Amino acid sequence: MICSDHHSSCFVRVVLDVPLDAHFDYCWVKHAAQDVMPTVGQLVRVPFGKRNMTGLVIAVSETTDVPTDRMREVASQCPVPPLPQEWMDLCHFAATYYHRPLGEVAIPCLPKPLRAEKVPTLDRAYAALEKEQSAMVREASATVRPELNPDQEESVQAIGRASGFAPLLLHGVTGSGKTEVYLRAAEEILARHEEATVMILVPEISLTPQLEERIRSRFPGICMAILHSRMSEGERLKNWLSAHTGNARILLGTRMAVMASTPRLDMIIVDEEHDPSYRQQEGLRYSARDLAVWRAWQLRVPVVLGSATPSLESWHHTLSGQYCRRVLPVRAVPDAVLPDVRLVDISRDKGQAGFSLYLLQAIRLRLERGQQSLLFINRRGYAPVLVCDSCGWVSACARCSAYMVFHKAQDRLRCHHCGLERFIPHACPDCGNMDIKPLGRGTQRMEESLQALFPSSRILRIDADSTRRKGSLQSALDQVHRGQIDILVGTQMIAKGHDFRNLTLVGVVSPDNALFSHDYRASERLFAQLMQVGGRAGRRAQENGSEVIIQTRYPHHPLFQAVLSHNYEAFAGRLLAERQESGLPPFIHQALLCAEARKLDDALAFLQSAAAYGKTCDGLIMNEPVPMALVRISNRERAQLLVESASRSTLQAFLKDWTIHLRHTKTKVRWHLEVDPLSI
């Protein structure tokens, strides 16, 4: 609708979720259906093209430069309170730092119902909030708090003494009681102010149910909001509204929760801060950990980063004095000690079905004792590939430069990159050989082998395939906690955060591939994985010792030797020295321009043109465009261009001009920019 009544109206400046770094002016006409004046932060429905879209008001004015004949009216306002200025500032920072349009940052943070073509009434969501609040009041008293050891007590006091922005790295060994420190610190914050809010971030959805239960039992009269991507849209809307209206005083969630709107935020906790899952890999490619630190700085509140294996960036900040560091060197449960680590050379102990004889004997011993074992392999499916020994055919994906993974239970070959599925061929497609075989092992094949080796044991597999249905993950974890499972097989989903009381053995089956990765962060990630998954064992005092068995062909590798001694500091010190000598983060700042096209030459030509723009800029290292390691996904060829600088401000200033130039470049090549990339 074209605006017709300028005498009883004003103008609003709106940003939309469109790939344009621009704002749009609309006419706000005051009439019976819309009798209030607009405010900054308000959500509105506006016509854009042939449809209505949700927009965010960023300014209100009495004048506009838009011609009268092009001015359109605001269709309606969304029935939610305006978003606070602090949240708007967060979105502005994220848009500026990661070089994305403000609308593409702010609008996707909202629950999907608020972005729908027709925004529904929110009566049901508000009614659910009132019902939940009433239930909170009626709940029983809080559970008894466990005793703190001296290191935990000192850490809680250090957090409590913090005034204003105070980043603290809580470096505690696995099982050292970091969660109890979080809860005690949150308890103090919530007791100080009636409207105080605490945000707690976890890297994996699988970690939320256990922590949610613990928080609810500790704070029975306090409303909590949960935010993660596996929630239904109705649940997410209700929880978002709970945080936005200030009803929830504890906000628990995965990386998306860092962008939640809250009227007051008094402390932020980032558990397992090192985890790469905090990095968003599509759309706005942000680091939730880094945004959490910035948000704490913006609000002048404490931020606690917890990990047994801190990221090298955070570790470097403690060494330079930017972060305070508190250490929890021992396990919280009295007499519980870190598990013994044993390296098994599988070039000598070949065993059977991929398990060394030593590991098999250790599993049998736990079965005899009535204790649980966990076998870790970071590869789902039955086998990574099918092969033909006769002609050398392999099950390659037709759309990606990757192999299709054999999923035996579904009788399918599946590409884990593009999702393409194929039936298992009865014979080799090239030579007709009937004897095609799986090569390598995934979680499904490990489960099958264990069932054959230990037929009377109760075996459970937890990975992305076995937990697709809603509630299936929590049901599986409950079985483990109730002692109904003898042997647990899984991926990184169970490698961290879980407290399995009767688990005394962890077996790591195939860790060697990461030793030869092109990614310079691969060793850091492998070390963290091994330390984290090993930490699932022996979390309670046991009459018999707990054990971590790592099968490898390279037992003398420095990484495995560091795991053997549980020596994170020595390992981190060696890696930092290597990074500094090689000019890698955290001693340099990077941005990665990625391009994809039907032909690789087109992607490379676009990057060559982009590189030419920055060749003469001082203080920059403009590397040559190269094909990506996984060059083809879904029939599109991919290449990348790495830009580096010793100065963050120099890099950011260049990226600002560069992205403007790229947006005005006419091309059919798709591209995106990633600031502080996790892999190159």
Side-chain angles (χ1 to χ4, degrees):
M1 175 188 286
I2 300 298
C3 184
S4 58
D5 186 3
H6 289 281
H7 297 290
S8 59
S9 65
C10 62
F11 304 98
V12 292
R13 186 157 293 165
V14 175
V15 292
L16 303 168
D17 184 12
V18 293
L20 299 171
D21 194 7
H23 56 260
F24 305 91
D25 284 3
Y26 288 87
C27 176
W28 180 285
V29 179
K30 186 177 180 181
H31 48 69
Q34 194 166 270
D35 60 355
V36 295
M37 296 303 291
T39 60
V40 172
Q42 194 164 356
L43 295 176
V44 293
R45 299 293 294 173
V46 294
F48 188 79
K50 296 182 179 180
R51 59 187 178 130
N52 279 354
M53 297 182 68
T54 295
L56 173 68
V57 176
I58 61 171
V60 179
S61 175
E62 296 295 327
T63 60
T64 178
D65 295 331
V66 178
T68 304
D69 58 348
R70 295 180 56 191
M71 178 64 63
R72 304 176 77 179
E73 285 186 21
V74 171
S76 63
Q77 63 183 89
C78 294
V80 296
L83 291 148
Q85 185 60 48
E86 292 166 347
W87 184 84
M88 302 272 289
D89 293 340
L90 172 68
C91 292
H92 275 287
F93 169 77
T96 302
Y97 187 79
Y98 294 108
H99 300 277
R100 296 296 295 263
L102 177 58
E104 285 192 335
V105 174
I107 305 301
C109 296
L110 306 175
K112 195 172 182 180
L114 295 181
R115 296 178 276 138
E117 185 73 19
K118 292 184 178 180
V119 177
T121 58
L122 304 182
D123 295 345
R124 182 179 298 179
Y126 283 119
L129 284 181
E130 291 180 7
K131 183 178 179 180
E132 182 177 276
Q133 184 63 34
S134 298
M136 291 288 128
V137 174
R138 293 193 302 268
E139 283 187 10
S141 59
T143 55
V144 177
R145 301 183 304 173
E147 291 291 330
L148 297 181
N149 62 35
D151 297 309
Q152 290 176 300
E153 185 65 47
E154 290 178 9
S155 297
V156 173
Q157 291 177 4
I159 299 171
R161 289 193 301 267
S163 177
F165 174 60
L168 183 143
L169 178 65
L170 186 62
H171 179 206
V173 298
T174 53
S176 59
K178 292 186 290 294
T179 302
E180 184 59 32
V181 173
Y182 303 154
L183 296 183
R184 292 293 183 94
E187 185 177 46
E188 289 191 9
I189 292 290
L190 296 175
R192 290 179 192 173
H193 309 287
E194 291 184 358
E195 298 179 352
T197 303
V198 174
M199 176 185 289
I200 304 176
L201 302 181
V202 293
E204 301 275 0
I205 296 173
S206 61
L207 300 179
T208 55
Q210 180 175 287
L211 187 52
E212 177 186 357
E213 181 180 354
R214 190 166 174 182
I215 293 173
R216 290 194 187 280
S217 64
R218 182 64 66 85
F219 304 100
I222 292 180
C223 184
M224 177 169 60
I226 314 294
L227 286 175
H228 58 72
S229 59
R230 283 198 181 180
M231 306 178 77
S232 68
E233 293 302 334
E235 288 177 318
R236 184 182 171 191
L237 175 60
K238 185 200 75 171
N239 283 272
W240 184 88
L241 284 171
S242 183
H244 177 56
T245 58
N247 185 53
R249 298 185 63 199
I250 299 177
L251 176 59
L252 170 65
T254 54
R255 62 174 178 260
M256 69 162 57
V258 77
M259 298 297 293
S261 165
T262 57
R264 174 168 180 165
L265 192 56
D266 292 78
M267 184 170 70
I268 302 176
I269 296 168
V270 185
D271 191 27
E272 309 291 0
E273 64 86 27
H274 67 279
D275 199 289
S277 296
Y278 281 121
R279 183 76 185 202
Q280 174 75 15
Q281 296 295 337
E282 57 186 22
L284 175 67
R285 289 167 167 81
Y286 66 90
S287 164
R289 179 200 64 203
D290 294 349
L291 285 184
V293 173
W294 188 89
R295 195 168 186 180
W297 172 84
Q298 171 203 26
L299 300 173
R300 299 298 186 263
V301 299
V303 57
V304 181
L305 310 176
S307 178
T309 54
S311 64
L312 288 190
E313 286 79 8
S314 295
W315 188 255
H316 180 61
H317 287 327
T318 65
L319 297 179
S320 63
Q322 296 181 60
Y323 291 0
C324 173
R325 174 176 169 240
R326 301 301 307 180
V327 182
L328 303 178
V330 298
R331 292 198 147 174
V333 175
D335 300 325
V337 297
L338 292 171
D340 294 328
V341 180
R342 179 177 292 271
L343 304 174
V344 176
D345 188 346
I346 54 174
S347 62
R348 298 183 178 183
D349 183 354
K350 297 184 182 299
Q352 55 181 315
F355 305 108
S356 64
L357 294 177
Y358 187 88
L359 178 57
L360 292 174
Q361 181 57 36
I363 296 173
R364 291 190 185 95
L365 182 61
R366 268 64 186 187
L367 291 173
E368 293 171 1
R369 294 175 178 172
Q371 297 171 346
Q372 295 172 317
S373 302
L374 184 156
L375 297 182
F376 172 79
I377 182 171
N378 205 18
R379 181 182 292 138
R380 60 189 175 97
Y382 187 84
V385 65
L386 284 181
V387 298
C388 173
D389 291 336
S390 179
C391 70
W393 171 85
V394 293
S395 56
C397 177
R399 303 193 303 196
C400 305
S401 51
Y403 297 122
M404 301 189 76
V405 178
F406 176 30
H407 287 255
K408 186 177 181 181
Q410 294 80 29
D411 193 31
R412 293 286 195 281
L413 289 171
R414 182 180 301 147
C415 178
H416 289 176
H417 300 282
C418 71
L420 180 66
E421 290 192 1
R422 293 282 187 266
F423 284 108
I424 306 298
H426 297 292
C428 174
D430 287 354
C431 70
N433 175 29
M434 300 292 290
D435 190 20
I436 52 177
K437 302 176 181 178
L439 180 66
R441 288 173 177 80
T443 50
Q444 293 178 10
R445 193 173 191 182
M446 280 182 57
E447 179 187 26
E448 181 183 86
S449 299
L450 289 167
Q451 287 172 341
L453 291 166
F454 306 102
S456 60
S457 62
R458 299 166 296 179
I459 300 171
L460 178 67
R461 171 172 54 90
I462 296 182
D463 57 22
D465 297 313
S466 67
T467 57
R468 290 181 183 273
R469 293 183 179 179
K470 183 178 179 180
S472 58
L473 174 60
Q474 186 57 40
S475 176
L477 293 173
D478 288 343
Q479 292 183 63
V480 181
H481 288 300
R482 289 195 299 264
Q484 298 172 346
I485 301 301
D486 300 315
I487 303 174
L488 179 61
V489 177
T491 59
Q492 63 180 3
M493 290 178 65
I494 56 172
K496 51 185 172 290
H498 299 291
D499 189 0
F500 302 127
R501 295 171 179 265
N502 196 36
L503 196 149
T504 62
L505 174 66
V506 170
V508 182
V509 176
S510 299
D512 288 347
N513 289 344
L515 299 178
F516 306 101
S517 172
H518 70 282
D519 187 354
Y520 72 91
R521 295 184 188 268
S523 58
E524 178 185 357
R525 291 173 182 161
L526 176 58
F527 181 84
Q529 276 187 345
L530 295 178
M531 294 287 284
Q532 293 287 339
V533 73
R536 299 316 102 204
R539 297 174 73 90
R540 294 294 179 273
Q542 301 284 343
E543 182 179 347
N544 301 292
S546 56
E547 191 174 18
V548 178
I549 299 173
I550 301 174
Q551 297 187 163
T552 174
R553 295 182 182 276
Y554 310 96
H556 300 295
H557 193 283
L559 185 149
F560 293 128
Q561 291 299 312
V563 174
L564 193 67
S565 59
H566 301 280
N567 195 340
Y568 170 82
E569 294 191 29
F571 179 75
R574 183 174 65 83
L575 275 191
L576 279 176
E578 291 177 359
R579 298 268 183 95
Q580 187 171 22
E581 184 177 351
S582 303
L584 291 170
F587 301 98
I588 201 167
H589 306 286
Q590 298 177 327
L592 194 65
L593 179 63
C594 301
E596 61 177 64
R598 290 293 181 185
K599 296 181 180 180
L600 181 60
D601 287 345
D602 292 340
L604 289 171
F606 170 81
L607 294 179
Q608 289 284 4
S609 175
Y613 181 85
K615 287 288 188 182
T616 59
C617 295
D618 294 333
L620 289 178
I621 302 173
M622 185 72 67
N623 293 277
E624 289 297 317
V626 294
M628 296 181 72
L630 186 60
V631 66
R632 188 175 73 255
I633 290 183
S634 296
N635 288 326
R636 296 192 68 85
E637 307 289 331
R638 310 188 306 158
Q640 64 185 29
L641 169 63
L642 180 66
V643 186
E644 300 173 292
S645 177
S647 166
R648 190 188 299 274
S649 59
T650 298
L651 179 62
Q652 282 289 325
F654 166 73
L655 294 179
K656 181 180 179 180
D657 294 337
W658 203 30
T659 51
I660 293 174
H661 167 74
L662 293 175
R663 289 191 185 109
H664 288 86
T665 301
K666 292 184 178 180
T667 179
K668 294 183 179 180
V669 174
R670 298 177 189 171
W671 61 271
H672 69 264
L673 183 69
E674 189 168 352
V675 181
D676 303 329
L678 278 186
S679 59
I680 57 175

